[in-house]
Amino acid sequence: MSSQIDHLLNETRRFSPPEEFAAQANATAELYDQARADREGFWAEQARALHWHTPFTQVLDWSNPPFAQWFADGELNVAYNCLDRHVEAGNGDRVALLWEGEPDGDSRAVTYAELTEEVKRLANVLLGLGVEPGDRIAIYMPMIPEAIAAMLASARIGAIHSVIFGGFSADSLRSRIDDAGAKIVITADGGYRKGRVSPLKPAVDMALADRNGSGPQESVEHVLVVKRTGNEVPWREDRDLWWHDVVPQASADHEAQPFPAENPLFILYTSGTTGKPKGILHTSGGYLTQAAFTNRVAHDIHPETDVFWCTADIGWVTGHTYVTYGPLANGATQVLYEGTPDTPHPGRWWEIIEKYGVTILYTAPTAIRSFMKLGRAIPKQFDLSSLRLLGSVGEPINPEAWMWYRKIIGGKTAPIIDTWWQTETGAMMVSALPGVTETKPGSAQVPLPGISVDVVDDDGVHVGNGNGGLLVIKEPWPSMLRGIWGDPERFKETYWEKFEKQGFYFAGDGARLDDDGDVWFLGRVDDVMNVSGHRLSTTEIESALVGNDAVAEAAVVGASDETTGQAVVAFVIIKESYLHEHSPEGLAGTLRAWVGEMIGPIARPRDVYIVGELPKTRSGKIMRRLLRDVAEGREVGDTTTLADTAVMSVISAQVK
Ligand code: PRX
């Protein structure tokens, strides 16, 4: 980490906003002044860009911290804002989704009028199945237009969706369905990934069945299934429904009803520092306000002319805010791609950009680094001249990747915004404003207008320019999480206890302020890893590992990785009896696959080291810092607090 920081400190390149871009930009420098002069008034003005069935008279209620309420006496319908109002404004023929399936030639354009109609029909189907406001709907789908329709239909009837990434295993799906008490699951037979059918419905069946003695799942009454891949799926007549049997037949008359601004919109599970994922809860009015605002000023969306492409899966928060809610609230046209970047060929993304004339690309540093590795010759085969703005999200972007992105993808002219935020923040918090901010490769730079952040020491004291510390958010913001589903105590403990006195939100990220006061993010300071921009908990993977019969103890660390940012590295102690019967290589392979099965392929460790002991303090706490040194091939740091100081040399020898 320290060499990384030194490297960042030497980064002095600056890029001023191109004049042509600035002349047409939605953002202006005045936004900062307006927000500074009257923060709540500023957010109220942004909220008024939405359609309110009942206008709000209150802006922020922070009388019961950390439970905020925004625009609480106002009423709106989130789906109406993303759909009907564009149709009513005469834009029904505008394309909402330019959908591209993974198999070549499989594409479909869906207009705002068509998407609105589909959502109305689906809303009627869900109402017919007895879904009521506040009920939970689990969504486990590939990247197809029906997935977006499912989220919006849930929002339309005041239900709460919980999207579960299609790469998660049956076990992960089960625990999330159970925790939320979902009444309906919406899924597909499968989706296409890496040139193959990746089945989804069979995982739903497994998740709902009696597994590992847990008993059959009880809350789910119906499973609605889109036929996408045509693979054979198990079927239960009393529970399962084909989408094509019920949605096209349903009435397309459905008038969107108003719901209070604080009506829950969705739960999204994310990894924390314990083994149990947290159900992050977001509500309606404040969330949609900040999603739409940031998409307008940071992504600079011009709905009449832009073709926006956010490459995130809807299973992550980026897919919620910048695929479904932000761009659709703004009436934008966007690309939705089902597959992986390298299928059927490594230039697939660039081909899609050329085909649709994508103007704004929003993606993750991991993707950029993998393209960098493949070389510039691949993107150079395509016409990328339509791109006018590039965005990055999910992890720190190193200056080399930033420069490559600018030169090779952005034709040396498109501004780059590095946007910092979290599942918990709901929308962007720190980012340059294109056309306004002079950009710096590697820095997320400045809080957005209306957002107040700082970098502080352990006591909550501002560190001052030139110094590093912890990132905090000082004032409530509209799209902030409203809690952890079913666990208000954990919500307080995780985010608010550390700086209780100051009332700051603790993000869990290390950061540094440069001489201009700009923010440079340095990664997580807790036991959360960031692998390819996906959040994983060390503890969750450790619990999965010790759940295997062969494992006596396990410790997991996130080690730096050139492509994925961090990689999962596991150190495991194997039970004696297994050591005799199996080779270490065989065991390592089995355990990698096991974690993939228990959590999902994204959590599969890059390396599994079989060791005889783990480094522990006298109180029994595993010293992950030392294991990280080993995993990254560094000299092992200070071992004086270890109960047995010799243990690290033994481990280092075993790992080599
Ligand atoms: O560590 C930060 C990193 O990703 C974490 C949030 O992960 P998640 O909730 O999955 O949301 C990711 C997409 C919004 C943060 O705590 N992170 C996200 N964006 C950046 C970042 N780190 C550095 N720079 C960023 N731009």
Side-chain angles (χ1 to χ4, degrees), residues 270 316-318 362 365 392-397 418-425 430 444 507-509 521-524 528 530 533-535:
T270 186
W316 311 111
V317 74
T318 309
Y362 189 44
S392 173
V393 60
E395 50 180 318
I397 177 165
D418 172 9
T419 66
W420 177 90
W421 57 295
Q422 309 177 297
T423 306
E424 290 86 344
T425 69
V430 178
D509 276 58
F521 283 93
L522 305 172
R524 301 286 308 186
V528 170
N530 193 329
H534 299 148
R535 243 160 100 167

Side-chain angles (χ1 to χ4, degrees), residues 246-576:
V246 292
V247 179
Q249 287 79 346
S251 159
D253 286 332
H254 181 272
E255 198 179 329
Q257 299 303 307
F259 291 99
E262 284 296 338
N263 204 52
L265 178 62
F266 66 85
I267 307 170
L268 182 58
Y269 287 85
T270 186
S271 297
T273 50
T274 70
K276 189 173 180 278
K278 304 176 279 197
I280 303 300
L281 176 69
H282 282 285
T283 61
S284 305
Y287 170 78
L288 197 63
T289 296
Q290 200 170 327
F293 168 72
T294 49
N295 180 244
R296 194 164 63 75
V297 299
H299 287 139
D300 195 48
I301 278 282
H302 291 69
E304 303 79 16
T305 47
D306 275 317
V307 177
F308 179 70
W309 186 16
C310 163
T311 63
D313 190 281
I314 50 149
W316 311 111
V317 74
T318 309
H320 282 59
T321 308
Y322 299 112
V323 176
T324 303
Y325 292 110
L328 294 181
N330 286 326
T333 297
Q334 64 179 319
V335 168
L336 186 71
Y337 174 52
E338 178 186 36
T340 43
D342 51 357
T343 311
H345 60 80
R348 192 66 202 274
W349 275 20
W350 319 123
E351 181 181 65
I352 292 174
I353 290 171
E354 179 181 283
K355 174 172 175 185
Y356 292 112
V358 171
T359 56
I360 305 165
L361 177 68
Y362 189 44
T363 193
T366 294
I368 299 163
R369 287 193 295 264
S370 356
F371 292 130
M372 238 171 109
K373 255 194 187 165
L374 295 175
R376 62 182 67 188
I378 298 169
K380 290 279 182 213
Q381 289 162 25
F382 299 90
D383 179 6
L384 306 181
S385 61
S386 55
L387 286 171
R388 63 177 196 89
L389 174 64
L390 304 174
S392 173
V393 60
E395 50 180 318
I397 177 165
N398 46 315
E400 290 73 16
W402 197 102
M403 288 307 296
W404 190 89
Y405 199 22
R406 176 182 156 80
K407 275 192 205 145
I408 309 301
I409 308 305
K412 298 189 193 151
T413 51
I416 298 182
I417 51 166
D418 172 9
T419 66
W420 177 90
W421 57 295
Q422 309 177 297
T423 306
E424 290 86 344
T425 69
M428 291 175 200
M429 301 294 281
V430 178
S431 168
L433 285 182
V436 176
T437 319
E438 183 186 63
T439 54
K440 303 177 177 177
S443 170
Q445 300 196 279
V446 283
L448 285 163
I451 299 296
S452 170
V453 306
D454 200 1
V455 179
V456 299
D457 65 16
D458 254 328
D459 299 319
V461 179
H462 172 71
V463 293
N465 290 357
N467 297 308
L470 303 170
L471 195 283
V472 294
I473 305 171
K474 291 166 69 178
E475 303 281 351
W477 62 103
S479 64
M480 68 195 286
L481 76 167
R482 299 302 197 262
I484 293 178
W485 183 255
D487 203 345
E489 277 315 304
R490 191 174 176 197
F491 170 56
K492 289 189 210 161
E493 260 169 49
T494 313
Y495 306 107
W496 303 95
E497 232 161 49
K498 187 163 177 68
F499 298 113
E500 198 174 9
K501 211 168 68 214
Q502 299 84 350
F504 295 164
Y505 167 90
F506 170 55
D509 276 58
R512 201 176 166 285
L513 293 174
D514 68 13
D515 291 339
D516 304 324
D518 281 4
V519 184
W520 297 68
F521 283 93
L522 305 172
R524 301 286 308 186
V525 295
D526 54 14
D527 291 334
V528 170
M529 292 171 288
N530 193 329
V531 179
S532 300
H534 299 148
R535 243 160 100 167
L536 296 170
S537 140
T538 51
T539 333
E540 196 181 351
I541 301 176
E542 285 166 6
S543 332
L545 284 166
V546 295
N548 186 292
D549 259 356
V551 176
E553 266 190 87
V556 166
V557 297
S560 306
D561 183 281
E562 232 180 73
T563 309
T564 59
Q566 282 189 305
V568 181
V569 176
F571 296 82
V572 292
I573 304 179
I574 299 289
K575 290 177 190 157
E576 275 296 318

Side-chain angles (χ1 to χ4, degrees), residues 99 101-103 106 142 144 188-192 226-230 242 338:
W99 177 72
E102 192 183 82
D106 201 359
I144 54 177
D189 48 359
Y192 289 101
V226 175
K227 192 172 217 143
R228 161 76 186 126
T229 44
W242 281 115
E338 178 186 36

Side-chain angles (χ1 to χ4, degrees), residues 5-146:
I5 296 173
D6 292 345
H7 193 53
L8 285 179
L9 287 178
N10 295 330
E11 178 53 60
T12 53
R13 284 169 285 200
R14 302 286 179 268
F15 296 95
S16 42
E19 261 167 45
E20 213 177 301
F21 192 102
Q24 59 79 61
N26 286 332
T28 56
E30 286 73 57
L31 287 174
Y32 295 107
D33 304 331
Q34 285 165 19
R36 221 172 284 125
D38 175 10
R39 214 175 71 86
E40 291 185 23
F42 171 81
W43 282 120
E45 194 185 319
Q46 307 317 324
R48 287 192 196 101
L50 299 175
H51 175 273
W52 293 83
H53 281 76
T54 313
F56 55 89
T57 63
Q58 307 159 1
V59 181
L60 167 66
D61 179 353
W62 191 233
S63 57
N64 180 29
F67 300 93
Q69 300 208 31
W70 283 86
F71 317 118
D73 64 347
E75 291 185 311
L76 79 170
N77 185 291
V78 169
Y80 178 89
N81 271 283
C82 294
L83 299 167
D84 312 46
R85 70 167 170 152
H86 305 312
V87 179
E88 286 167 20
N91 295 320
D93 291 338
R94 185 183 295 162
V95 172
L97 304 174
L98 290 163
W99 177 72
E100 185 78 11
E102 192 183 82
D104 232 352
D106 201 359
S107 55
R108 178 150 61 109
V110 184
T111 65
Y112 272 93
E114 288 164 346
L115 189 59
T116 305
E117 193 181 307
E118 182 86 341
V119 169
K120 287 181 174 181
R121 290 186 201 277
L122 180 57
N124 281 326
V125 169
L126 295 172
L127 291 171
L129 294 175
V131 177
E132 290 180 13
D135 282 347
R136 274 78 61 208
I137 298 177
I139 298 176
Y140 185 62
M141 293 181 87
M143 290 288 281
I144 54 177
E146 288 82 354

